[in-house]
Amino acid sequence: MVLSMAVLVGHRALLQAFRVKATGHDSVCRLAAAFSCSRQYAFPGKVSPSSRLNGPGAGTRHYSSDPKEDLRVRYLDGEDAGIVVVGINRPKAKNAISKNLVKMMIEAVEDIKKNNKVRSVILCSLVPGIFCAGNLPVPTIAAIDGAALGGGLEMALACDIRIASNTAKMGLVETKLAIIPGAGGTQRLPRVISVSLAKELIFAARVVDGAEACRLGLANHSVEQNNSGDAAYLRALELAREINPQGPIAIRMAKLAINQGIEVDLSTGLAIEEACYAQVIPTKDRLEGLAAFKEKRRPQFKGE
């Protein structure tokens, strides 16, 4: 799929907004992780009965009657409490990144960071066939059911885990337009796959499907697309449910240790791991884990 002018304009707006507003270490990652939605978590407006995410505990996608609502967040409840689903919804622009989208992303990521009950975040698209596109302290999963090109793939690369349908299209195609990936693509792609493979994909502006992305290591999983067009999202939800019961502080510290440790030598990385390990020792969750193991029951972690 050819990168549309809307995506180019959105990508440029993202970079401009980043240069003006974002501050601090790895602000591109911060921006990319600033997943969807305005602060209106109540989802005003109509709810479509034909939502693509039906089923027990799946958390139905809510469709607002407000056409300006570019990003939406859904806090799942019941057994899925702790999972946040964030949907990008710019159908006319094919989910191109805009200044308004960037603003809402920054606001949303700050809200999620402050919520200690959040245990994992799924980033997906509410526009069939298109994915546009972290560094939140909780696990972030990109569910790629459609096209993730240019800035869209850069956003997915900022997530911890990527799940793609076999029909998804993924690529950093900027060289076709005589530019380079400018929101982290040249740095994150070589870290996810190999340096030589990243060079090949970027130099050739190659687009791969979900199955090939999985073979290259660009995606963790590739799943057969279903009739509803949300196979990657459903697989991402399964994975989030696997993560959900684990100790939330331990998950955050594990993510921090991995992310910081991978950038340094092994000796320094082990010191970072030790420091992160020390953070979980005094927690109530650790004591609960030991008690549950002794009593042969499922632990009830509270993130304390």
Side-chain angles (χ1 to χ4, degrees):
M1 183 180 294
V2 179
L3 189 67
S4 68
M5 285 303 295
V7 174
L8 283 178
V9 172
H11 190 194
R12 190 181 182 99
L14 170 65
L15 292 176
Q16 290 172 344
F18 156 64
R19 293 187 183 114
V20 173
K21 298 179 180 179
T23 58
H25 178 67
D26 198 5
S27 47
V28 174
C29 191
R30 172 175 173 266
L31 207 57
F35 300 151
S36 53
C37 126
S38 66
R39 299 184 184 221
Q40 283 189 313
Y41 298 144
F43 293 98
K46 298 179 180 179
V47 177
S48 169
S50 59
S51 169
R52 292 191 291 141
L53 296 184
N54 294 323
T60 304
R61 288 189 188 179
H62 290 239
Y63 291 80
S64 170
S65 59
D66 182 0
K68 297 180 181 179
E69 191 177 354
D70 292 347
L71 296 108
R72 307 174 192 174
V73 69
R74 167 74 166 156
Y75 283 75
L76 304 191
D77 52 21
E79 293 183 357
D80 290 335
I83 300 173
V84 179
V85 181
V86 177
I88 303 174
N89 183 54
R90 303 193 71 225
K92 292 183 180 180
K94 296 184 178 179
N95 279 358
I97 299 167
S98 67
K99 289 183 178 180
N100 188 50
L101 191 64
V102 170
K103 180 178 182 292
M104 288 190 290
M105 282 176 149
I106 293 173
E107 291 176 351
V109 77
E110 293 304 321
D111 286 346
I112 293 172
K113 279 182 179 179
K114 295 173 185 175
N115 190 333
N116 291 329
K117 294 183 179 180
V118 175
R119 300 196 179 184
S120 59
V121 177
I122 299 174
L123 175 64
C124 63
S125 170
L126 298 180
V127 181
I130 298 290
F131 174 90
C132 184
N135 228 354
L136 283 166
V138 296
T140 54
I141 307 169
I144 307 170
D145 274 305
L149 303 172
L153 180 54
E154 287 178 303
M155 191 174 294
L157 285 168
C159 294
D160 298 310
I161 299 167
R162 284 158 297 284
I163 298 176
S165 70
N166 63 328
T167 58
K169 300 297 181 185
M170 306 166 68
L172 296 177
V173 297
E174 285 86 349
T175 56
K176 282 187 177 181
L177 301 154
I179 59 175
I180 70 169
T186 63
Q187 302 306 303
R188 290 196 175 90
L189 186 60
R191 286 168 166 80
V192 170
I193 57 178
S194 70
V195 172
S196 60
L197 279 175
K199 287 178 177 178
E200 180 179 343
L201 293 182
I202 292 172
F203 294 170
R206 184 172 301 152
V207 176
V208 299
D209 61 21
E212 178 68 3
C214 189
R215 188 186 71 80
L216 294 172
L218 179 54
N220 295 61
H221 304 279
S222 176
V223 292
E224 188 79 17
Q225 187 57 282
N226 57 30
N227 292 333
S228 301
D230 60 1
Y233 167 78
L234 294 177
R235 179 65 184 88
L237 186 59
E238 289 179 9
L239 179 56
R241 286 170 175 164
E242 288 184 61
I243 296 170
N244 217 28
Q246 318 312 325
I249 298 175
I251 294 293
R252 290 174 182 235
M253 288 298 103
K255 175 171 176 172
L256 180 62
I258 293 169
N259 285 357
Q260 297 294 321
I262 201 67
E263 302 295 335
V264 298
D265 61 88
L266 180 59
S267 178
T268 305
L270 290 171
I272 291 172
E273 180 185 77
E274 184 178 358
C276 290
Y277 185 83
Q279 297 298 309
V280 303
I281 296 301
T283 63
K284 293 180 181 179
D285 279 352
R286 185 183 73 88
L287 298 177
E288 166 63 11
L290 291 173
F293 179 78
K294 183 179 180 180
E295 298 166 13
K296 297 181 180 180
R297 60 174 174 80
R298 181 177 176 176
Q300 299 297 318
F301 297 125
K302 297 181 180 180
E304 300 175 352

